[in-house]
Amino acid sequence: EDKVVQSPLSLVVHEGDTVTLNCSYEVTNFRSLLWYKQEKKAPTFLFMLTSSGIEKKSGRLSSILDKKELFSILNITATQTGDSAIYLCAVAPGGNQFYFGTGTSLTVIP
Amino acid sequence: GAGVSQSPSNKVTEKGKDVELRCDPISGHTALYWYRQRLGQGLEFLIYFQGNSAPDKSGLPSDRFSAERTGESVSTLTIQRTQQEDSAVYLCASSRFVGRAGELFFGEGSRLTVL
């Protein structure tokens, strides 16, 4: 059975801290892994990863994929209160399905 | 349109009533997905449409749930005889690429509360 597991489930940090969010997966086939940020209702797209070892970076956020060990990490450096959100990981296997993890709830305290 | 549009944004209904939720995808996006997100939970796949192909209904939790889509335009998700456990945010997403590694674009969701 295809599945996506995120850890930790929740995290509370202080502004300025660096956090690492984890996403491991088991899928029959693999096309891509996606990260989303969900602040209120609509998840917004952060990164799409298809190749191992190539870091994607956007400002203070970065992500990398390990297709051998079947996981990805999302790093956020110098966290700000605006980073508080649920971070969702999704894996797209062969076909048109997307499997989402339960998310990591990040709270950044001033 | 510029983004995925969903309506209503909030719906409060009584147990046993039927509800209809609407999703207007991004123009040109052939794929449309419905997800359910209960409070504190992840996204639960419900149904997927791609062009004029038969939809993938494998995620619908019961026969009280149904969805339609006309061509590559608006989709409606109908929940009949609503139950309290149907309370959730229903998210619609569309994607341009089918069978390729494309990303999903989400609407703001419809929050359903069944009293």
Side-chain angles (χ1 to χ4, degrees):
Chain A
E1 180 180 329
D2 296 339
K3 64 179 180 180
V4 178
V5 178
Q6 292 186 246
S7 64
L9 291 180
S10 64
L11 192 57
V12 181
V13 300
H14 290 93
E15 267 191 325
D17 288 350
T18 293
V19 298
T20 298
L21 309 182
N22 303 289
C23 176
S24 63
Y25 62 91
E26 292 180 24
V27 294
T28 307
N29 295 298
F30 179 87
R31 286 185 185 272
S32 63
L33 184 145
L34 301 94
W35 284 96
Y36 285 85
K37 178 182 182 182
Q38 186 177 27
E39 292 181 82
K40 292 181 179 178
K41 285 185 182 178
T44 53
F45 174 75
L46 294 175
F47 298 112
M48 181 171 70
L49 304 158
T50 57
S51 301
S52 277
I54 300 175
E55 184 182 56
K56 292 283 184 85
K57 194 171 175 64
S58 177
R60 295 177 295 103
L61 277 67
S62 64
S63 183
I64 197 162
L65 173 68
D66 186 328
K67 291 170 72 174
K68 181 179 179 183
E69 299 299 329
L70 308 182
F71 77 93
S72 173
I73 60 172
L74 175 67
N75 279 318
I76 309 175
T77 59
T79 51
Q80 302 171 358
T81 55
D83 295 328
S84 296
I86 296 173
Y87 290 84
L88 295 166
C89 171
V91 172
N96 303 306
Q97 184 54 278
F98 291 83
Y99 293 102
F100 281 83
T102 54
T104 293
S105 176
L106 174 65
T107 302
V108 182
I109 300 171
Chain B
V4 178
S5 177
Q6 291 189 245
S7 62
S9 56
N10 283 286
K11 175 73 176 177
V12 180
T13 190
E14 293 180 347
K15 178 181 174 181
K17 301 285 188 181
D18 297 350
V19 296
E20 191 172 277
L21 309 177
R22 176 188 168 105
C23 172
D24 199 347
I26 294 172
S27 178
H29 281 196
T30 57
L32 186 148
Y33 301 77
W34 283 98
Y35 289 89
R36 177 170 70 178
Q37 188 176 32
R38 292 192 169 112
L39 188 63
Q41 303 290 314
L43 273 63
E44 177 187 359
F45 167 74
L46 296 178
I47 189 169
Y48 157 74
F49 295 90
Q50 192 275 307
N52 293 314
S53 301
D56 177 354
K57 304 180 181 181
S58 60
L60 293 178
S62 76
D63 59 8
R64 296 187 296 105
F65 288 73
S66 62
E68 294 182 348
R69 186 186 187 196
T70 305
E72 295 182 359
S73 61
V74 171
S75 174
T76 55
L77 176 69
T78 300
I79 309 173
Q80 296 177 309
R81 305 180 302 280
T82 51
Q83 304 294 313
Q84 288 183 332
E85 66 260 27
D86 299 334
S87 296
V89 175
Y90 290 82
L91 289 163
C92 175
S94 68
S95 176
R96 177 183 294 278
F97 298 105
V98 174
R100 292 179 56 185
E103 67 265 34
L104 294 174
F105 294 87
F106 284 87
E108 291 291 311
S110 293
R111 181 180 298 279
L112 174 66
T113 303
V114 182
L115 301 177

